[in-house]
Amino acid sequence: MIITLKRKSSKQEEAKVIEKIKKLGYVPHISRGVDITIIGMIGEFAEKYKDVFESMEEVDHISEIEKPYKLASREFKKENTVVKLPYGIEVGGNKVPVIAGPCAIESKAVLLEIGKIVKDAGGTILRGGAFKPRSSPYTFQGLGEKGLKYMAYAGKKLEMPTVSEAMSVEQVPLLSEYCDIIQIGARNIQNYDLLKACGKQKKPVLLKRGMATTIKEWLLSAEYILSQGNYNVMLCERGIRTFETATRFTLDLNAVPVIKKMTHLPVVLDPSHGIGIREHVPTMAKACLAAGADAIALEIHPRPEEALSDGPQSLLPDQYNKLMAELKVLAKALDREI
Ligand code: PEP
Ligand code: MN
């Protein structure tokens, strides 16, 4: 349930309610608006204590969140969540950051080479996997911790926040140490222990939708992270499986307006994995912006034929540069900024 405090309540009044929630064995989830603070008390049988809180003079009223995803819902928080990253980058505001980089971190030199291309054209977040969830166990699995060290180095050198994927609970502390955002890949969206581990650490999380995940399941996975106290979650649509085989996946642009109505969390779009064909990525990237993306994730590689993963969908630097110029123009028309 949601406990809405009286307008302009003081820190002490807030503390009194929080203490009561904790005493009853629940975790308080606080959302502070300009004048009004609301506190989520979520968990089994929480509603049983409705009367207890209703009678507190610090409390204005109690309401219930009907949706199964509670903290992720617009009922809990009306304003959009803005995730703040190093170097003043934000996801969820009017500016639409472009997250770009190689699919996998291949070497320090190649990562720096790509990072520079990303930055020069206006990309602001550097991506690259060190632990790669490959369909085949015989293909490149990523550089592991060594790759994360390269990522941390490149991020510092280029002054860009970084994102890389954690595939298991044991990898979470490493990602948390070396990167600014932890990515949960499509294949791990229902790895609940992994989600909880990401919720227990402080770095923002980029939660990719699974290829057969409904919007509701996606939000419930986000809820696993939020419920542990990490409210910096970004959702990422990256294509779902349909009967179509002419493209790698089917980028579900429908999901964008729908999910934005349901949740306050920022929505990132990944047209690279979504369509999987280099030539068509720019078209879909522009469609992502038009559909309301809060950030766009792109894979790029200067020599895609040599890329150790996802070469066929990686943009060439020239294509990326041209796309960035187009996105800037389009963003203006949409009253946004790149
Ligand atoms: C990736 O970002 O390189 C990746 C593996 O993404 P996904 O989990 O969406 O397939
Ligand atoms: Mn990839």
Side-chain angles (χ1 to χ4, degrees), residues 143-301:
L143 294 179
E145 185 171 359
K146 190 166 75 175
L148 292 178
K149 286 185 177 164
Y150 297 159
M151 190 52 124
Y153 178 82
K156 269 213 182 82
K157 194 160 169 76
L158 297 162
E159 303 190 330
M160 293 169 92
T162 56
V163 55
S164 198
E165 177 168 348
M167 292 206 303
S168 67
V169 173
E170 305 81 71
Q171 290 166 4
V172 170
L174 280 178
L175 268 295
S176 189
E177 179 186 345
Y178 290 112
C179 292
D180 299 304
I181 304 168
I182 303 182
Q183 175 172 316
I184 300 294
R187 292 154 190 84
N188 267 313
I189 186 145
Q190 286 176 323
N191 183 340
Y192 299 118
D193 283 344
L194 179 58
L195 298 174
K196 281 194 217 166
C198 286
K200 287 190 177 118
Q201 57 80 56
K202 296 267 179 295
K203 293 283 172 80
V205 179
L206 181 68
L207 179 64
K208 296 191 101 174
R209 182 184 186 181
M211 46 196 93
T213 308
T214 65
I215 290 175
K216 186 169 149 193
E217 287 166 341
W218 190 9
L219 288 173
L220 279 166
S221 288
E223 190 77 14
Y224 263 92
I225 304 168
L226 300 168
S227 67
Q228 302 302 311
N230 185 351
Y231 305 121
N232 288 311
V233 176
M234 296 167 270
L235 303 167
C236 179
E237 162 60 39
R238 46 77 72 207
I240 53 173
R241 268 270 151 80
T242 66
F243 54 80
E244 187 53 74
T245 54
T247 53
R248 187 177 179 196
F249 293 99
T250 296
L251 188 67
D252 185 11
L253 290 178
N254 287 348
V256 186
V258 172
I259 205 164
K260 283 188 145 212
K261 194 155 180 203
M262 296 160 86
T263 184
H264 50 86
L265 299 171
V267 180
V268 178
L269 275 116
D270 173 352
S272 298
H273 291 87
I275 194 157
I277 306 162
R278 176 183 315 123
E279 181 189 352
H280 301 311
V281 170
T283 306
M284 293 312 291
K286 287 175 270 186
C288 291
L289 185 58
D294 292 306
I296 297 171
L298 299 169
E299 287 185 343
I300 68 170
H301 203 289

Side-chain angles (χ1 to χ4, degrees), residues 102-104 127 132 208 248 273 299 309-310 313:
C103 177
R127 64 145 288 145
K132 293 304 301 176
K208 296 191 101 174
R248 187 177 179 196
H273 291 87
E299 287 185 343
S309 80
D310 284 351
Q313 69 194 32

